[in-house]
Amino acid sequence: MRIGVPKEIKNQEYRVGLTPDSVQEIVARGHEVFVETQAGAGIRADDAVYEAAGAKILGSAAEVFDTAEMIVKVKEPQAVERAMLRPDHILFTYLHLAPDAPQTADLVKSGATCIAYETVQGVDGGLPLLAPMSQVAGRLAVTAGATALERANGGVGILIGGVPGVAPAKVVVIGGGVVGSNCITMALGLGADVTVLDRNVTVLAHLSQTFGPALKTVYSTKAALEQYVMDADMVVGAVLVPGAAAPKLVSADMVKRMKPGAVLVDVAIDQGGCFATSKPTTHSEPSYIVDEVVHYCVANMPGAVPRTSAYALNNATLPFTLALADKGAKQALLDDPLFLPGLNVHAGMVTCEAVATALGYDFVDPKTALETKVSQAA
């Protein structure tokens, strides 16, 4: 198969869909890899490194899209990229379609087979292709929030870990999943006063056992959420409903009543955000202030540490990329019931139920969509 890797063009996105190590693995299986020139610059991998791994370098994204059968990216395709998709293309990347009607409409119109990292399932019920970026984002959320707490950035002026004789910042983490647990690791490590809220008592028990009495665990009710948010110096939104838009857990009225100079870090912003006052920001302008509360809502947080992020992501995605290349999309997806939920759009059909529900499309079961297309082609 001919696999294409365009340079990421989202604002300050420095990751790359395939690392040189992944390229070498793919080429060794007999496939061809075409990389846009300087696609790896953000991870300090120049064209010569990719060529040494077996890739062919092309001069533009248009050439990559024109040549490749499968496009491997990191972030969702931007409008100019979506315009280059064809019905015979396989697109393998993060999509986050539920809050993104324009992207969904373009992917449906393209007729391409669009597979989202974030909805591939794991044997344990987790999301194995989202997990590595959730780990990175969870850890970054705390360091970003700590910076936002500085007075020069609009924050109240608290050092997250305090110093002897001065109390540390009160950090509240909403959601105890992969993002949340990594937030907790960082926040406790920096000496913060940390509370996590979750509706799953098993998750809370696991977190309590993992982190011990340093971590406060609270079952998340509306009353508890409001109480802890009002008292927090930093709140990290770490909730996730796979494939669906994030629930708005903190209302605009609650934000208005928070401490002046408090910080909200919305890691759920890729799925629309879990604070009512959230809107996507970029690494160049990462935060804004509403009602004296600093909002950090960067939609591609792991892009700030692209080398760590790209290699961590490839560790998870490479087996699936190889399956797609070796078998083709239809067979790879039909052979693996855990990979199949990754299919979000195929041949003009929306095959992720959460996306269809959120955006008003008819839902077509992914297996049905693939088999229907196969029979029509025959």
Side-chain angles (χ1 to χ4, degrees):
M1 183 178 285
R2 299 187 304 276
I3 300 165
V5 183
K7 186 175 183 179
E8 296 292 325
I9 59 174
K10 189 162 185 171
N11 182 282
Q12 295 198 23
E13 178 53 70
Y14 301 116
R15 289 172 289 180
V16 62
L18 292 176
T19 64
D21 290 355
S22 293
V23 169
Q24 188 171 357
E25 292 284 330
I26 293 166
V27 171
R29 298 277 274 263
H31 305 291
E32 294 180 277
V33 179
F34 300 87
V35 177
E36 183 182 353
T37 183
Q38 295 302 301
I43 65 166
R44 305 296 183 188
D46 61 21
D47 291 350
V49 174
Y50 275 96
E51 287 179 315
K56 297 178 177 68
I57 304 300
L58 297 179
S60 68
E63 291 178 80
V64 172
F65 276 79
D66 186 56
T67 304
E69 299 166 271
M70 175 162 63
I71 303 295
V72 179
K73 283 176 45 61
V74 178
K75 289 305 292 178
E76 70 279 359
Q78 304 302 290
V80 66
E81 295 173 309
R82 301 195 295 264
M84 293 187 281
L85 286 170
R86 306 186 305 263
D88 62 318
H89 270 143
I90 302 164
L91 174 66
F92 193 33
T93 188
Y94 287 117
L95 291 176
H96 300 292
L97 293 179
D100 193 343
Q103 184 195 176
T104 305
D106 285 349
L107 296 185
V108 168
K109 183 180 177 181
S110 77
T113 297
C114 305
I115 305 165
Y117 296 154
E118 73 273 9
T119 58
V120 174
Q121 301 292 308
V123 292
D124 59 353
L127 302 170
L129 305 193
L130 187 62
M133 295 304 92
S134 295
Q135 292 166 352
V136 173
R139 294 177 183 228
L140 278 175
V142 175
T143 57
T147 300
L149 278 171
E150 295 174 10
R151 189 66 185 90
N153 297 316
V156 69
I158 290 177
L159 182 64
I160 189 169
V163 293
V166 181
K170 293 181 179 178
V171 176
V172 171
V173 180
I174 306 174
V178 178
V179 171
S181 64
N182 279 271
C183 285
I184 293 163
T185 296
M186 287 293 287
L188 287 177
L190 290 170
D193 178 345
V194 186
T195 301
V196 61
L197 293 96
D198 200 287
R199 283 183 173 273
N200 186 323
V201 292
T202 302
V203 167
L204 293 174
H206 173 73
L207 292 171
S208 181
Q209 185 176 24
T210 300
F211 294 102
L215 174 68
K216 302 177 183 70
T217 59
V218 176
Y219 185 81
S220 185
T221 63
K222 288 184 178 181
L225 184 69
E226 182 166 354
Q227 174 189 340
Y228 283 93
V229 167
M230 292 302 102
D231 193 41
D233 299 303
M234 181 198 306
V235 180
V236 180
V239 297
L240 174 68
V241 179
K248 303 295 185 189
L249 298 178
V250 176
S251 67
D253 178 66
M254 288 170 67
V255 172
K256 191 176 295 186
R257 291 184 286 118
M258 288 179 68
K259 294 179 181 178
V263 171
L264 296 176
V265 182
D266 199 339
V267 187
I269 194 64
D270 275 324
Q271 294 292 135
C274 61
F275 307 131
T277 46
S278 292
K279 61 182 180 182
T281 61
T282 66
H283 288 292
S284 57
E285 296 183 35
S287 63
Y288 60 93
I289 297 173
V290 175
D291 293 323
E292 298 186 77
V293 174
V294 183
H295 292 58
Y296 182 97
C297 305
V298 175
N300 59 328
M301 288 178 62
V305 286
R307 189 171 176 86
T308 297
S309 297
Y311 277 90
L313 178 60
N314 272 236
N315 289 344
T317 58
L318 181 59
F320 296 92
T321 303
L322 288 171
L324 290 169
D326 290 345
K327 300 179 178 182
K330 294 181 180 66
Q331 202 59 51
L333 290 163
L334 290 172
D335 283 352
D336 187 346
L338 298 175
F339 195 10
L340 187 60
L343 187 65
N344 278 211
V345 176
H346 174 67
M349 296 173 276
V350 175
T351 56
C352 176
E353 189 168 10
V355 173
T357 299
L359 298 178
Y361 286 89
D362 291 332
F363 166 66
V364 181
D365 178 80
K367 185 176 181 181
T368 300
L370 289 167
E371 292 176 336
T372 298
K373 184 64 177 175
V374 169
S375 64
Q376 287 175 348

